[in-house]
Amino acid sequence: MLYCFTYFVFLIMGKTHKAYLSLGSNLGERYVTLQKAVFAIGKWGGTVESISGVYENPAVGFEGDDFLNACILIHTHKSPVELLEILLDIEKDFGRIRSLQEGYQSRTLDLDILFYDNELIDDENLKIPHPKLAERSFVLKPLADIAPQYYHPGLGKDIRNLLQQAKDRQSVKKTKRRLFKGRSHLFNQLQFIAVEGSIGAGKTTLSQMIAQEFNAKLVLERFADNPFLPKFYEDQSRFAFPLEMSFLADRYQQFMDDTTQFDLFKNFMVSDYDIFKSLIFAKITLQHDEFNLYRKVFNFMYKEVKKPDVYLYLYRDVDRLLENIKKRGRDYEQSIGAEYLEKINRGYLDFIKSHQEQNSIVLDVSDLDFVSKISDYETILEQLEEHILRSLF
């Protein structure tokens, strides 16, 4: 029975092939380009199984900036021609268009098929193994990371021997950069992401979506049970101080409980708030003397809590915030005015501006509906992904 099922899957999926690919870039944000190309190959070309280190070398055959190069192994159901078409499309997405007269020149992205199983292909538009492979140490070195004993089907020598015999003696240096198989592997390098935003920005929803997709521990702010919140919206001057103090005490306790206890079955933590929001809201709502007292207590607590690896602020304009507040229908929020929301937005942006040491990213999501539109959600993940890549190296 198991044999029949396996054979059925084989008929549907077809045979899995091994393909070794090279990636190079010497224009723009080279590392970010290579990493996003790996993600694209994994999405459209096949499953990324192994990734070499990232190497840097001077341009060969022309004057240009230094290249970053890497090699990957993928398992694919695509034919060699189909795989080539996918790689060319990915190159186009990064602004490169090949031509027969192109020659050697700088490029945002260069993708080549080095090996495809043990096949020998010599067509007009596709030659496998890559005909220049044995001459290029900037390809052989990263390839030796993942396939040192792989035999060249045409030359009958493994990659280590080809590297030793290569006449190309240019400087090829291994960098400290890493490439990741997929977005989840990248996000797993973090311990803690804080998603922040004004009232109605969508921070809780986005945190829940990220936690579910990437198997992250979810830390949500407990504000709905605060007895002072409805009273505050009715009489702000009277209940501002007890409200802010109760929020601070609750946030501090929750942070100490939740962010210091790692879940072995989760990859990282994502929270829909950062404790610094306490000071931002307090500055808006409290009188001068009250705020000075509040800040002394806050500073003492803030030293003890865990700081996020990435602080993601979702910015929405006031009109969109008011629409969302009305839509979710919490009675005690319906009296919130545009002026108050504008102060909150300004308070967050001032905080981010004054804390340059914090790894912050501000995303304008005013025109995005990441709950209903998967493309809008993907836009947020792509921007977050790029920010993490830039901050890692």
Side-chain angles (χ1 to χ4, degrees), residues 135-146:
E135 304 171 12
R136 296 176 173 177
S137 60
F138 63 85
V139 174
L140 290 170
K141 278 196 174 182
L143 187 57
D145 283 354
I146 59 175

Side-chain angles (χ1 to χ4, degrees), residues 69-80:
N69 289 288
C71 291
I72 65 173
L73 165 64
I74 68 169
H75 288 175
T76 182
H77 296 286
K78 306 295 183 180
S79 70

Side-chain angles (χ1 to χ4, degrees), residues 124-188:
E124 181 180 355
N125 297 320
L126 179 60
K127 299 182 186 299
I128 298 176
H130 193 283
K132 300 289 186 179
L133 172 61
E135 304 171 12
R136 296 176 173 177
S137 60
F138 63 85
V139 174
L140 290 170
K141 278 196 174 182
L143 187 57
D145 283 354
I146 59 175
Q149 296 179 311
Y150 193 89
Y151 272 80
H152 190 298
L155 300 177
K157 298 178 181 179
D158 67 21
I159 301 304
R160 291 178 303 181
N161 288 331
L162 291 177
L163 180 58
Q164 291 170 357
Q165 296 172 10
K167 297 179 180 180
D168 175 12
R169 297 299 179 186
Q170 66 167 323
S171 174
V172 181
K173 298 180 179 179
K174 192 170 187 177
T175 72
K176 295 181 180 179
R177 300 174 186 269
R178 285 182 58 196
L179 295 175
F180 302 93
K181 295 180 181 179
R183 183 180 285 155
S184 60
H185 294 85
L186 172 64
F187 283 19
N188 290 353

Side-chain angles (χ1 to χ4, degrees), residues 100-152:
L100 295 177
Q101 292 77 34
E102 185 181 46
Y104 293 114
Q105 58 185 253
S106 295
R107 68 286 312 262
T108 52
L109 182 62
D110 187 20
L111 301 176
D112 288 308
I113 303 174
L114 303 178
F115 297 114
Y116 185 93
D117 290 338
N118 292 314
E119 292 194 21
L120 295 170
I121 301 175
D122 189 10
D123 294 336
E124 181 180 355
N125 297 320
L126 179 60
K127 299 182 186 299
I128 298 176
H130 193 283
K132 300 289 186 179
L133 172 61
E135 304 171 12
R136 296 176 173 177
S137 60
F138 63 85
V139 174
L140 290 170
K141 278 196 174 182
L143 187 57
D145 283 354
I146 59 175
Q149 296 179 311
Y150 193 89
Y151 272 80
H152 190 298

Side-chain angles (χ1 to χ4, degrees), residues 261-294:
Q261 297 178 9
F262 292 97
D263 189 332
L264 296 178
F265 299 98
K266 300 295 182 180
N267 295 324
F268 57 91
M269 290 184 293
V270 58
S271 172
D272 71 342
Y273 75 105
D274 177 67
I275 197 172
F276 203 94
K277 76 179 298 179
S278 299
L279 197 65
I280 295 172
F281 277 80
K283 190 174 183 179
I284 297 171
T285 59
L286 298 182
Q287 300 297 321
H288 180 73
D289 291 341
E290 291 177 331
F291 179 72
N292 287 338
L293 174 59
Y294 180 94

